[in-house]
Amino acid sequence: MRLGDALDLIAAVPDFPEPGVLFRDLSPLFGSAPAFAAVVDALGDTLDPDVDLLAAVEARGFLLAAALGYARGLGVALVRKPGKLPSVAGRIDYELEYGTETLELPSATVRQGQRVAVIDDVLATGGTAAAARALLDKVGAVVSGVSVVLELDGLGGRARLPGVPVHALRTL
């Protein structure tokens, strides 16, 4: 399947999770094996060749990074919402376009000096990606890039990631 056709499967859902928000639902893309494969292959092409590890942002980033890690022979560190990890290396609170959130990094998953790519589904205001980067910085990792399926350009998320290459398969 062509990448453009795969990305065309992303649905726009108005007023979710609250009025005024236009949610981008990747579920139809994930449900199509050819579309999912096209997206995983394209995300793989965005990775720095020297990347050591993928940091998957909960929850849709888990799906993407797991498939990408398997395809590229890379491990995956799961960046989680609070209360789901028995041992936490770092925790950060951050702003979303419609509220606040917290992310945690599990202990003993990222080593100092590792080159880590952050993988997620959508880059909107950049709060989630910037929080993941801050967690990785705290443990001494080097963020080699942020790769997403979709970037919502009008929300300025890229600007919150100075000095980090940002790769989006589609920008709206």
Side-chain angles (χ1 to χ4, degrees), residues 39-48 68 72 167:
V39 165
V40 169
D41 289 345
L43 283 173
D45 292 341
T46 69
L47 297 178
D48 180 315
L68 184 55
R72 296 291 173 123
H167 308 280

Side-chain angles (χ1 to χ4, degrees), residues 91-158:
R91 175 186 173 108
I92 190 166
D93 298 316
Y94 65 99
E95 297 286 325
L96 289 169
E97 60 270 28
Y98 48 83
T100 59
E101 189 58 79
T102 301
L103 288 177
E104 295 179 340
L105 183 67
S107 297
T109 58
V110 181
R111 294 186 314 277
Q112 185 171 354
Q114 275 189 305
R115 294 184 55 77
V116 181
V118 176
I119 308 297
D120 205 359
D121 63 336
V122 177
L123 177 66
T125 62
T128 303
R133 177 191 186 183
L135 281 173
L136 293 163
D137 287 346
K138 281 184 184 180
V139 297
V142 177
V143 177
S144 64
V146 173
S147 295
V148 298
V149 176
L150 185 63
E151 179 180 3
L152 304 177
D153 188 42
L155 297 177
R158 189 178 287 258

Side-chain angles (χ1 to χ4, degrees), residues 4-16:
D5 294 335
L7 296 172
D8 287 344
L9 295 175
I10 298 170
V13 181
D15 298 321
F16 183 82

Side-chain angles (χ1 to χ4, degrees), residues 48-96:
D48 180 315
D50 295 325
V51 70
D52 299 310
L53 183 71
L54 304 175
V57 180
E58 189 166 344
R60 290 168 300 274
F62 289 2
L63 300 170
L64 295 162
L68 184 55
Y70 177 77
R72 296 291 173 123
L74 295 167
V76 178
L78 303 178
V79 180
R80 305 290 315 259
K81 293 178 181 172
K84 298 185 179 191
L85 298 170
S87 179
V88 176
R91 175 186 173 108
I92 190 166
D93 298 316
Y94 65 99
E95 297 286 325
L96 289 169

